[in-house]
C-alpha cells in the first residue's frame, strides 16, 4: 500500500534503486557528497551522567540522491544533523568521521571554516523551526537579498529580481516578500527558510523536519521542491518523522532508534514489498493511519539510560535471550531476528 | 449536542478569520474538521471549547446557549469540554511537573481530593510512568508532554473533547497511541469529539465523519487560502 497518492518525483540516474550499492560506497560512480563513519555524539550532563544521543552512525550520500533519516522525536536524528553542521552545544563530544565530497572533515573543522565555507555554501540547511531561523526584525525580501549578496555576489539592480526568483523557487508568493517572519503562517515561514537554504547552491541540502505542522498538500509541495533541487548534482539528507514525506521523495531510508541507525534500506523496498526488516521500522509503518493504525507499545528508552543489548527489546514482540546482546549494524540492519515478508525467520549462525 | 451556528470569530472584527461557520456534533459522535493551516479552524475550535468569544453566531452546548467564554463561562460549562492543542510546549506551564500539570484542572475547580485517584488512573492510560510524572516539561519529549496534556484534558471527565491538531507534531506511533487513548475514553464515557486537523487520512480513519472547512463555512464563508498567515 502506498502512503503517497501523488506520483513519485523523478529519480536521478545516479540513484539506481535496483543495484544494491556495495557496503561503504555510494550508489553510482560519483564519489559520495557525504560519507559518515562511526559517528557518535555524547552529551556530558550534570553529575557526570552521559547521554548517548547518536551511536556509531554509518552511511553515504551520493549526488542526486535523497536519503531520509526517519525516527521518533528524540531518537537522535536532529542531533546528528547538528553534528554535521557543527552546531552542537559545548557539552557535546563527537567521534567518528563525517567527510564532505571535497574532503572537509565536518567533525573536526573549526567554527571559522564551518561558518565561512560550510554552512550555506557546502551544506544548505532547511531548518526545523523556520520562524526561529528567520531574523524577526527583517522582511523576507531583505533576508533573501542579503543572503544573495553574501553567497552569490549578486549586486545592484540584479538583487531584487534574483530575490524574487529565489522566493519563487521555494513557492514563496511574491506578494508576501515584504512581510516580517511573525506575519507568516508556518507554511510560508518554511518556504522562506527553504528559499534561503537554496541560495548558496550547496551540494548537500540538509532538511531537518522541514514539514512539521504543514498541510498534506504543502508537505508534498515542500518535499517535491526539495527533491527537484536534489536531482542533478545535489544530495539531500531529509530528517523527518513524516513517513509519507519520506516515501514520496526518498531513494533510501535510514531508520533511527534510540540513537542508532537500525535499518538502511532502498525506499521502494522499505515502503512497498517486501517491507522493512527491523521490527521497529515495521511497527512504525503499521502505526500509520493508512495502514493498521496500531501504535508500538511503550515509549523509547531514555538516551541517558539505555539498556544493555537491543534498545528496542522492551517494546519488541520478537525479543528473546539473544537480544540482551547489542545487535551489530551490518550496513543494512541491526537486529537478531529480521522481519521477513514470508513471516519466516532467517536462520543465522 | 454541540452546535455552532453561523459563528464569526477572529482577532480583528474587520477581518475575522472565521465567517459564518456552522457545525453540529451529536452526543458521542466524532467529527473531523479538515482544513489547511491558517484557515481559521483552530479559532473555531477555541470557540467550541469556550475559550474564544465569537463576534457573532450562536454556540449551544447540551441544549443550552453559551453566553460566557473563558473565565466568564460558568465552571460547570467550562469543565464539560476538554481541549488538547497542537503544541504542548505552549500549552503547558513549564514550572509544573507532569503530575501537577495533569492535576491542574482538578485543583482549579476545588477537587483537590480527587487528584491522587485520577492521576493514578490516567497516567498508565496515557503511558506515563511514575518517574516521568515527576519531571517538568523541558525534561520530557514532545510526545511525552502531549500525553500529559491529553491526560489533563480528560481529568475532569469532559462530555466533549476538542483536539486541535493534537498529533501534528508527533510521529506515527505516538499519534496512533494518543488516538487510541481518546477513543478508549470515548468508549467508556460516551463523550463527543471534534478533531481539527489538516491530515485527511488521519481524520477519516479516526472519526465517524469528516467535514471540510469550506463546507463548514457554507456558501457565505470566505475561507482564506492556505497561503494566508495566521495571526
Ligand atoms: S534485536 Fe531483538 S529486541 Fe531488538 S529489534 Fe531485533 S528482535 Fe527485537
Amino acid at each position: 500500500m502506498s502512503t503517497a497518492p501523488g506520483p513519485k518525483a523523478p529519480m536521478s540516474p545516479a540513484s539506481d534503486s535496483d543495484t544494491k550499492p556495495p557496503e561503504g560506497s555510494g550508489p553510482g560512480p560519483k564519489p559520495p557528497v557525504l560519507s559518515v563513519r562511526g559517528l557518535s555524539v555524547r552529551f556530558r550532563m550534570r553529575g557526570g551522567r552521559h547521554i548517548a544521543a547518536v551511536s556509531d552512525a554509518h552511511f553515504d550520500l551520493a549526488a542526486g540522491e535523497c536519503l531520509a533519516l526517519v525516527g521518533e522525536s528524540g531518537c537522535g536524528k536532529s542531533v546528528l544533523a547538528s553534528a554535521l553542521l557543527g552546531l552542537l552545544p559545548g557539552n557535546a563530544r563527537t567521534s567518528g568521521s563525517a567527510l564532505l565530497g571535497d574532503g572537509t572533515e565536518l567533525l573536526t573543522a573549526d567554527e571559522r571554516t564551518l561558518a565561512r565555507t560550510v554552512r550555506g555554501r557546502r551544506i544548505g540547511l532547511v531548518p526545523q523551526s523556520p520562524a526561529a531561523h528567520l531574523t524577526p526584525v527583517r522582511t523576507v525580501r531583505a533576508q533573501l537579498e542579503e543572503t544573495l549578496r553574501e553567497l552569490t555576489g549578486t549586486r545592484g539592480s540584479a538583487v531584487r529580481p534574483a530575490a524574487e526568483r529565489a522566493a519563487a523557487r521555494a513557492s514563496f508568493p511574491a506578494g508576501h516578500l515584504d512581510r516580517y517572519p511573525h506575519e507568516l503562517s508556518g507554511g510560508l515561514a518554511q518556504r522562506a527558510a527553504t528559499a534561503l537554504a537554496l541560495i548558496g547552491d550547496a551540494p548537500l541540502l540538509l532538511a531537518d523536519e522541514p514539514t512539521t505542522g504543514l498541510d498534506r498538500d504543502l508537505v508534498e509541495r515542500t518535499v517535491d521542491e526539495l527533491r527537484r533541487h536534489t536531482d542533478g548534482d545535489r544530495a539531500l539528507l531529509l530528517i523527518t518523522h513524516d513517513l509519507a514525506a519520506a516515501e514520496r521523495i526518498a531513494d533510501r531510508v535510514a531508520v533511527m532508534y534510540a540513537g542508532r541507525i537500525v535499518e538502511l534500506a532502498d525506499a521502494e523496498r522499505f515502503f512497498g514489498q517486501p517491507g522493512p526488516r527491523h521490527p521497529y521500522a515495521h511497527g512504525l509503518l503499521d502505526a500509520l493511519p493508512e495502514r493498521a493504525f496500531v501504535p508500538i507499545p511503550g515509549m523509547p528508552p531514555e538516551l541517558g539510560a539505555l539498556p544493555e543489548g537491543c534498545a528496542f527489546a522492551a517494546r519488541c514482540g520478537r525479543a528473546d535471550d539473544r537480544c540482551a546482546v547489542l545487535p551489530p549494524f551490518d550496513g543494512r540492519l541491526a537486529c537478531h531476528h529480521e522481519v521477513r515478508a514470508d513471516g519466516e525467520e532467517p536462520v543465522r549462525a | 449536542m454541540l452546535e455552532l451556528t453561523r459563528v464569526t470569530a477572529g482577532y480583528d472584527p474587520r477581518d475575522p478569520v472565521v465567517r459564518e461557520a456552522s457545525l453540529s456534533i451529536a452526543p458521542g459522535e466524532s467529527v473531523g474538521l479538515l482544513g489547511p493551516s491558517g484557515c481559521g479552524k483552530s479559532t473555531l475550535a477555541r470557540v467550541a471549547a469556550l475559550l474564544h468569544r465569537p463576534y457573532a453566531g450562536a454556540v449551544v452546548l447540551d441544549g443550552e446557549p453559551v453566553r460566557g467564554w473563558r473565565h466568564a463561562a460558568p465552571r460547570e460549562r467550562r469543565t464539560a469540554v476538554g481541549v488538547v492543542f497542537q503544541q504542548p510546549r505552549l500549552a503547558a506551564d513549564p514550572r509544573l511537573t507532569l503530575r501537577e500539570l495533569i492535576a491542574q484542572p482538578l485543583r482549579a475547580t476545588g477537587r483537590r481530593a480527587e487528584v491522587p485517584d485520577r492521576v493514578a488512573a490516567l497516567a498508565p492510560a496515557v503511558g506515563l510512568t511514575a518517574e516521568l510524572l515527576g519531571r517538568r516539561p523541558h525534561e520530557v519529549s514532545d510526545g511525552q508532554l502531549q500525553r500529559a496534556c491529553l491526560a489533563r484534558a480528560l481529568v475532569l471527565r469532559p462530555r466533549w473533547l476538542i483536539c486541535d491538531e493534537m498529533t501534528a507534531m508527533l510521529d506515527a506511533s505516538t499519534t496512533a497511541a494518543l488516538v487510541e487513548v481518546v477513543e478508549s475514553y470515548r468508549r467508556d464515557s460516551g463523550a463527543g469529539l471534534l478533531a481539527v486537523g489538516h491530515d485527511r487520512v488521519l481524520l477519516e480513519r479516526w472519526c465517524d465523519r469528516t467535514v471540510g472547512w469550506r463546507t463548514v463555512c457554507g456558501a457565505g464563508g470566505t475561507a482564506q487560502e492556505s497561503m494566508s498567515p495566521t495571526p
Side-chain angles (χ1 to χ4, degrees), chain B residues 111-197:
Chain B
R111 291 159 63 180
R112 222 164 257 273
E114 295 172 48
V115 168
D117 282 357
R118 284 301 282 151
V119 173
L122 279 167
V126 297
L128 292 175
T129 59
E131 197 262 326
L132 286 169
L133 288 177
R135 296 202 199 169
R136 288 175 219 282
H138 72 272
E139 297 167 316
V140 300
S141 69
D142 283 350
Q144 289 165 338
L145 190 54
Q146 193 65 304
R147 287 169 191 262
C149 288
L150 175 55
R152 176 178 62 180
L154 299 179
V155 77
L156 296 176
R157 296 196 178 84
R159 288 191 302 281
W160 300 96
L161 199 58
I162 316 275
C163 297
D164 181 13
E165 296 274 20
M166 175 177 75
T167 61
M169 317 275 290
L170 306 176
D171 63 273
S173 180
T174 309
T175 296
L178 290 190
V179 167
E180 199 174 86
V181 173
V182 168
E183 287 310 299
S184 114
Y185 172 74
R186 296 201 326 109
R187 274 195 301 277
D188 294 348
S189 66
L193 167 73
L194 175 61
V196 175

Side-chain angles (χ1 to χ4, degrees), chain A residues 71-345:
Chain A
E72 293 161 80
S73 73
C75 73
K77 56 194 195 304
S78 286
V79 173
L80 194 152
S82 301
L84 297 179
L85 292 162
L87 294 175
L88 290 170
N91 64 334
R93 290 289 168 272
T94 56
S95 57
S97 133
L99 274 182
L100 285 182
D102 67 354
T104 308
E105 171 53 77
L106 294 169
L107 299 187
T108 53
D110 57 64
E111 173 55 28
R112 193 181 140 89
T113 308
L114 290 166
R116 291 181 44 162
T117 68
V118 174
R119 294 195 289 264
R121 294 174 199 270
R122 307 215 54 83
I123 306 180
L125 173 68
V126 182
Q128 180 163 22
S129 38
H133 194 77
L134 299 166
T135 311
V137 295
R138 308 191 52 206
T139 63
V140 175
R141 184 190 304 279
Q143 295 185 54
L144 286 170
E145 290 184 349
E146 183 193 287
T147 307
L148 275 163
R149 286 191 202 97
E150 191 184 310
L151 294 182
T152 67
T154 311
R155 291 286 178 270
S157 61
V159 173
R160 195 178 166 92
E164 285 170 6
R165 278 196 304 277
R169 257 168 121 185
S171 312
F172 186 93
H176 288 58
L177 275 169
D178 293 310
R179 298 200 184 205
Y180 292 91
H182 71 268
E183 296 175 316
L184 302 174
S185 67
L188 284 190
Q190 186 54 264
R191 290 194 218 166
T194 304
L196 283 169
L198 291 171
I199 285 178
D201 268 322
L204 174 60
L205 267 187
L206 200 163
D208 186 3
E209 299 283 7
T211 62
T212 298
L214 301 188
D215 307 333
R216 184 50 47 197
D217 59 336
L218 251 176
V219 166
E220 293 180 354
R221 265 191 280 166
T222 302
V223 296
D224 286 357
E225 184 73 6
L226 289 171
R227 172 79 237 191
R228 197 165 66 70
H229 294 290
T230 308
D231 295 327
D233 284 343
R234 203 174 295 161
L236 171 64
L237 180 58
L238 172 68
I239 293 177
T240 186
H241 70 267
D242 184 340
L243 295 166
E247 174 171 10
R248 193 170 172 89
I249 63 162
D251 302 309
R252 287 190 302 149
V253 185
V255 182
M256 210 163 171
Y257 187 75
R260 286 180 187 275
I261 292 178
V262 295
E263 180 164 359
L264 185 57
D266 172 73
E268 239 166 281
R269 176 196 185 287
F270 184 86
F271 289 108
Q273 290 303 323
R277 294 185 172 103
H278 195 279
Y280 169 67
H282 210 263
L284 212 49
L285 286 190
D286 266 352
L288 288 171
E290 52 271 63
R291 301 196 184 203
F293 204 31
V294 173
I296 303 168
M299 285 188 284
E302 301 283 328
L303 294 174
L306 290 174
E308 293 279 312
C310 177
F312 188 60
R315 307 172 75 185
C316 182
R318 306 167 83 86
D320 66 8
D321 293 350
R322 289 182 64 190
C323 307
V325 175
L326 185 72
F329 181 65
D330 66 5
R332 52 177 201 114
L333 183 71
C335 172
H336 294 300
H337 307 285
E338 170 178 345
V339 180
R340 298 235 307 218
D342 56 12
E344 293 296 313
E345 267 201 35

